[in-house]
Amino acid sequence: RLGYDIGGAGTKIGVLSDSYSTLANSDITNGDLPGEGNPLGYTTPVDLVKEYPYGSASDEGRAMLQIIHDVAPEATLAFRTGFVTVNDFAKGIRELEEAGCDIICDDITYVTEPFFGDGIVSRAVDDVTTLGVSYFTSAGNFGSKSYEGIFNPTTLNGLVAHNYGGGDAGQSITVGPGTNGPTTYTIVMQWEDPVYSIGGGGTQNDLDIYLSSNQGITRFGFNRNNLGGDPVEILTFTIRENTTTDIMVVRAAGTDNVKFKYIVFRGDNIVFNEHNNNGNGYSTIVGQANAEGAMTVGAVLYSNTPAFNYS
């Protein structure tokens, strides 16, 4: 920054995250953020377009703004929560552009936004980038914890199930609790059909996702009739001890062999024992991270690199 005399002057940068200042802090007076009382003379306050309205949150947006202020201390900063609803998030993207932001970034994933097409957030991103905004978003924290394929029907115990290969109607996984006790897992499945909630005609197929035994006996799952609605199923469960089970995908209605994908959005202690793309897993970049106008940023913990003897 000093070598090239670039400090961000004349640029306004907006952040979308959970909250900005719902927790006590001294970030302005200690120089971490601009505002009245900043000891380095950066006195233009953060433009708070909308704060998180439901009490205290983690203030991750403030942490993001601290980093941006370190990199570009002369830039004007703005914040807008994106944690109310997906519609409000999309509205916030447009509000930051209207507030004069040249650059907008977020670290948000809504798991019900379409995997296979543009939802309302992606459309908002493309709208503001068409107006000249540079939009950056997070690739997410989900690594390769995913499976995708084209539904390949096989009949098992009276169910039309997905054949993962060789007649195998289940994908074996091993899951465990966290270091501090029971862990809740959230797996979201979507398939490539019209999405009713964004103006499509609704899905013509109803896929369901279960935890099952390796004989195809369903153990657990909350599955709804998706016909005419959104092609989304969410499987949430809590693990209290290490266990191995199967994931089974069933077509309850419809006849199309549609492309589908499921992603583990919550729960880290999981291993896909088979059908995992030769150990590489599958992509977990979805939602606005796939928007044409977005620049999607991935990161890796510095200790998980070869320089720190991590393979």
Side-chain angles (χ1 to χ4, degrees):
R1 185 178 73 232
L2 295 176
Y4 290 95
D5 192 26
I6 296 172
T11 301
K12 187 170 184 178
I13 305 170
V15 164
L16 291 138
S17 187
D18 62 346
S19 60
Y20 169 63
S21 189
T22 64
L23 305 174
N25 67 86
S26 57
D27 289 346
I28 294 175
T29 56
N30 68 15
D32 282 333
L33 284 174
E36 191 66 35
N38 178 286
L40 301 175
Y42 301 115
T43 57
T44 301
V46 172
D47 181 5
L48 187 54
V49 177
K50 182 177 180 178
E51 179 61 280
Y52 180 72
Y54 303 119
S56 297
S58 74
D59 285 4
E60 189 161 336
R62 178 158 49 90
M64 294 166 67
L65 287 165
Q66 290 174 357
I67 297 170
I68 293 168
H69 186 58
D70 285 341
V71 174
E74 297 172 29
T76 303
L77 305 182
F79 176 81
R80 210 282 193 182
T81 185
F83 267 50
V84 179
T85 65
V86 66
N87 290 279
D88 188 70
F89 178 26
K91 183 171 181 280
I93 292 170
R94 293 186 170 93
E95 288 179 353
L96 285 178
E97 185 279 325
E98 292 166 358
C101 290
D102 308 286
I103 298 170
I104 300 174
C105 63
D106 79 70
D107 66 342
I108 301 170
T109 299
Y110 276 93
V111 300
T112 54
E113 278 293 273
F115 290 1
F116 297 106
D118 286 341
I120 59 173
V121 178
S122 296
R123 293 173 183 175
V125 169
D126 288 343
D127 286 348
V128 299
T129 56
T130 299
L131 297 173
V133 171
S134 296
Y135 196 99
F136 296 85
T137 186
S138 166
N141 298 323
F142 319 114
S144 56
K145 296 182 294 183
S146 175
Y147 173 86
E148 66 179 52
I150 296 174
F151 192 85
N152 181 20
T154 186
T155 302
L156 181 67
N157 298 325
L159 301 173
V160 180
H162 173 62
N163 178 1
Y164 287 86
D168 191 355
Q171 181 187 39
S172 173
I173 60 171
T174 299
V175 286
T179 55
N180 297 318
T183 294
T184 298
Y185 289 78
T186 300
I187 302 177
V188 178
M189 179 175 70
Q190 296 192 26
W191 53 99
E192 196 170 16
D193 254 356
V195 181
Y196 175 80
S197 62
I198 60 171
T203 177
Q204 301 303 302
N205 298 276
D206 181 13
L207 299 189
D208 294 333
I209 183 170
Y210 294 96
L211 299 182
S212 70
S213 71
N214 59 12
Q215 287 83 32
I217 306 300
T218 58
R219 288 173 168 165
F220 185 79
F222 293 102
N223 298 288
R224 59 195 177 94
N225 182 353
N226 300 87
L227 294 177
D230 288 355
V232 180
E233 285 285 359
I234 300 176
L235 178 65
T236 299
F237 54 92
T238 299
I239 295 297
R240 292 177 170 81
E241 59 185 57
N242 289 320
T243 188
T244 296
T245 186
D246 279 7
I247 293 176
M248 183 169 67
V249 175
V250 172
R251 189 173 64 198
T255 58
D256 298 328
N257 295 332
V258 292
K259 184 176 182 180
F260 71 95
K261 174 194 283 283
Y262 51 80
I263 298 172
V264 182
F265 283 111
R266 182 168 58 170
D268 291 328
N269 192 5
I270 182 169
V271 176
F272 291 90
N273 298 318
E274 58 181 354
H275 312 305
N276 61 348
N277 195 22
N278 297 317
N280 296 312
Y282 294 87
S283 167
T284 58
I285 296 175
V286 294
Q288 77 274 14
N290 278 334
E292 183 177 0
M295 287 174 274
T296 299
V297 181
V300 62
L301 184 66
Y302 71 91
S303 58
N304 292 352
T305 62
F308 287 81
N309 299 317
Y310 186 85
S311 61

